[in-house]
Amino acid sequence: GDKQLTMNMFYSFQ
Amino acid sequence: MLELRLVQGSLLKKVMESIKDLVNDANFDCSATGFSLQAMDSSHVALVSLLLRSEGFEHYRCDRNLSMGMNLGNMAKMLKCAGNDDIVTVKADDGGDCVTFMFESPNQDKIADFEMKLMDIDSEHLGIPEAEYEAIVRMPSAEFARICKDLSTIGDTVVISVTKEGVKFSTRGDIGTANIVLRQNTSVDKPEEATIIEMETPVSLTFALRYMNSFTKATPLASQVTVSLSSELPVVVEYKIAEMGYLRFYLAPKIEE
């Protein structure tokens, strides 16, 4: 199956 | 002191119904700009961003920036008790441990107040810079909901591909495959029925339909939805909230292993 990416792979915590 | 009076209280009811199943607890942030929220689902795959600008409220008083941690399921329960035509007022004291929702019927013959306990939530605020998207599709929100629902009966994921020809939604499952293509259509009588495709570069991304279907609970908020896609970014599914702001859902793609 496909691998699900997550938000923190794209955006960093402020 | 915080006091926000929203004549169209049903907007807040609709917002809560749209997000309560995706996010359990979240901080509502109040500032001079407006009433906002950013929160992720428990698996950090999807993110909700809400903005209700202060100008959209009949009365907006926010003496100092305030962050109020709320359980969204409980907040939705309370707002469900408001009538669809009710005026909703949100009140809180600085440093207090509760928030009050006041519901007024349009002719002022029924006034209710519901007090809810606030909670401490670790804020996990992500910085999301403005981005140029490779493709932006604007389409009727009901059509988008229909497509996500239909495809989820066949498969678990949707491939959204934008080319010059249009936007294609595809899925595959044990019983077979499905492809739905929408072409640009600006010739309709009503603007809310138009499909508009702006494409800089062809793009194709795969997403979990479970999340997409959850986002479509926001369909009652807006007649149109905007889907913004770039190959290196989460998709943004945006519902504009009449003259007040927006409800945006970000969803990270799936990639082949």
Side-chain angles (χ1 to χ4, degrees):
Chain A
D2 294 337
K3 180 187 174 193
Q4 175 66 65
L5 303 181
T6 57
M7 278 298 141
N8 46 337
M9 294 171 173
F10 298 93
Y11 306 120
S12 49
F13 289 106
Q14 275 182 337
Chain B
M1 173 82 187
L2 170 92
E3 197 169 289
L4 320 178
R5 185 176 156 92
L6 185 61
V7 172
Q8 231 187 314
S10 60
L11 283 181
L12 205 51
K13 282 170 68 111
K14 288 176 189 168
V15 166
M16 294 317 299
E17 290 305 309
S18 314
I19 63 177
K20 72 177 169 65
D21 296 331
L22 191 65
V23 176
N24 297 327
D25 306 316
N27 281 315
F28 279 87
D29 298 311
C30 303
S31 71
T33 313
F35 193 58
S36 64
L37 168 151
Q38 192 206 79
M40 283 186 279
D41 77 301
S42 57
S43 57
H44 290 196
V45 167
L47 180 144
V48 179
S49 175
L50 166 73
L51 174 64
L52 298 173
R53 288 185 199 92
S54 52
E55 305 89 83
F57 291 83
E58 191 201 28
H59 170 72
Y60 191 96
R61 179 179 167 186
C62 177
D63 296 342
R64 64 182 69 184
N65 291 358
L66 200 61
S67 190
M68 297 186 291
M70 300 195 210
N71 175 284
L72 300 192
N74 292 344
M75 185 179 170
K77 275 183 202 168
M78 292 200 163
L79 284 164
K80 247 190 171 158
C81 301
N84 278 330
D85 300 323
D86 281 2
I87 299 162
V88 172
T89 303
V90 181
K91 286 196 254 187
D93 290 321
D94 294 334
D97 59 358
C98 60
V99 58
T100 300
F101 302 106
M102 192 171 90
F103 311 140
E104 295 168 72
S105 63
N107 59 1
Q108 310 280 313
D109 60 352
K110 180 178 171 188
I111 296 171
D113 60 85
F114 288 69
E115 194 178 88
M116 189 177 83
K117 286 187 192 119
L118 295 176
M119 52 200 293
D120 282 324
I121 299 168
D122 286 335
S123 66
E124 296 179 311
H125 213 86
L126 289 177
I128 301 178
E130 285 290 315
E132 293 285 323
Y133 285 88
E134 290 166 354
I136 299 174
V137 178
R138 205 167 85 218
M139 60 186 284
S141 58
E143 181 68 76
F144 180 68
R146 172 76 198 262
I147 289 171
C148 293
K149 184 165 163 265
D150 287 349
L151 293 186
S152 62
T153 65
I154 315 286
D156 296 330
T157 60
V158 58
V159 181
I160 306 179
S161 310
V162 184
T163 62
K164 275 190 306 206
E165 279 70 47
V167 55
K168 184 166 81 169
F169 301 87
S170 310
T171 194
R172 64 175 57 243
D174 294 340
I175 62 167
T177 63
N179 296 291
I180 299 170
V181 178
L182 294 186
R183 294 209 176 86
Q184 172 145 303
N185 179 6
T186 54
S187 62
V188 287
D189 295 338
K190 299 173 187 167
E192 63 266 28
E193 289 170 7
T195 299
I196 295 163
I197 300 166
E198 293 168 39
M199 190 200 76
E200 296 285 331
T201 317
V203 58
S204 182
L205 287 161
T206 303
F207 302 100
L209 274 166
R210 186 166 69 85
Y211 288 97
M212 284 291 184
N213 269 318
S214 177
F215 303 164
T216 63
K217 287 179 183 157
T219 304
L221 278 171
S223 60
Q224 290 254 309
V225 63
T226 306
V227 181
S228 303
L229 298 141
S230 268
S231 48
E232 302 294 326
L233 287 175
V235 64
V236 188
V237 179
E238 178 179 280
Y239 296 85
K240 288 246 188 288
I241 301 173
E243 290 158 31
M244 283 200 82
Y246 55 76
L247 181 59
R248 289 178 188 156
F249 298 98
Y250 294 75
L251 177 60
K254 298 183 96 169
I255 55 162
E256 273 184 62
E257 284 202 274

